[in-house]
Amino acid sequence: MDQPYHLLNHCQGNFTEFQRGVLWLSDNLTFDVDARVNLFECNIRVLGGLISAHILATDTKSRLDHGLYKNQLLNLAEDLGQRFLPAFDSPTGLPYAWINLKNGVMENETTETSTSGCGSLILEMGALSRLTGDSKYEAVALRALRKLWSMRSSLNLLGTTLDVVTGEWIECSSGIGAGVDSFYEYLIKAYILFGSDEYWDIFHSAYLAVQKYFRHGPWYHEADMRTGRATYWQLTSLQAFWPGLQILVGDIAAANSSHREFFHVWQRFGVLPERYLLDHDMLHPTERYYPLRPELAESTFYLYQATKDPWYMEVGESIINSLNSYAKVDGGFASIRDVMTMQQEDHQHSFFLSETCKYLYLLFDDSFLADKNYVFTTEGHLLPIRSSWHEKLPESYISNWTSIKNGNQGTHASAMSLQVCPAMFIGGNITPWVESACHVPDSRVDHRCITDDDCGIDSTTCRRRTCSMAGYCGLWLFIL
């Protein structure tokens, strides 16, 4: 893996080019245009990019020429955030999916939006409020998030699309893919970034519901939010972000299991198809494309950071080789129209540079992150974890350690890496209790299946999905 990669041009420390980009945006970018934009996409791509770039520009190591930067990007971000506010002026407080940057919500605008569109605004809007000292941006995003959560079913599941005027669900089948994915992502990241227990409490309930009703071994199907019954058995490329999210809560075994399945599909086709029908073992007839999505590279980066297993670097090398083989063109990288023929189309999404390239680069050189603490937004923009942004600083909010109390001496062991079922400690001489490694309790107090006959040999082969929502299985043995 010491050969040069065409995709990973070394640009770390290129302050001259960064300064040129900052100054060009300062002089040329304006949002006073008669343009109808998607609120969610504009938030994660444009607002998030401006906020992150402002933070980097004001960093003591940004090396921008003295006096050239005077918060121009933050001023642009605030102008854009101000233009977002009319979208939240609905009877429910849920934002319209589309807004005109000059004229606000247009007459006869569609009232349909997605769960992601309502529930994935809190990071960028919250950061904007903290940087400007104006709470109104975070307030409208949090109000929408609370309203959305209040619309959950009795199973703590949410649908995919809804009406912002009536507050009624339009599509009740849901999963962890398109239309819902970043809702889960932003809950845990908002907790990490801002420290409010409210975000953790919502995420905790939502995560348990996903593991109980969507998970089937290493796969996640879709289910009806009202009944929990499976609706669609399919892999979608957007689902590949989930292992990366699970790393943030320490559920490493489940993350590794799903990641390997996604990578197997990548190897089978050369890239990851947009949609694969698991129940028919075939590509979706109309969604056979690969638009250079970053989710598999993102999860690969997180899993390597958590485990330092060199296998994940091999996965990254394979992804890079595929991109260079199938997608590289003279002007950049082209989306794949059909994974069976590798026919290209003349289109490169902004997320390819913002996320796909970034996560692959950081997989092989993470020195930029050394001694720093960032959260990546769903578009791959960096937001620093600052104590001044927190309502409180949790002692530990990203941990995969099991704490075993022995008298007055506290020791730590990783139940995930050692494959130790916490049930083995219950009633023993070591401790009367063991905390779940990912801080998510199993459905049974003793962490076991209903009977040993119902159990597989590990968390991925457990025959009862309700046995172990956190990746545990009753027949785990000590591996010392």
Side-chain angles (χ1 to χ4, degrees), residues 125-134 138 193-194 388-391:
M125 299 286 272
L128 180 60
S129 280
R130 280 160 172 74
L131 290 170
T132 62
D134 192 334
E138 183 174 8
L193 196 63
F194 303 132
S388 60
W389 288 13
H390 276 75
E391 296 182 11

Side-chain angles (χ1 to χ4, degrees), residues 230-256:
T231 52
Y232 302 106
W233 293 78
Q234 56 190 5
L235 169 155
T236 63
S237 59
L238 288 171
Q239 293 174 347
F241 91 100
W242 190 255
L245 178 145
Q246 290 186 304
I247 290 300
L248 293 179
V249 292
D251 207 345
I252 297 177
N256 175 68

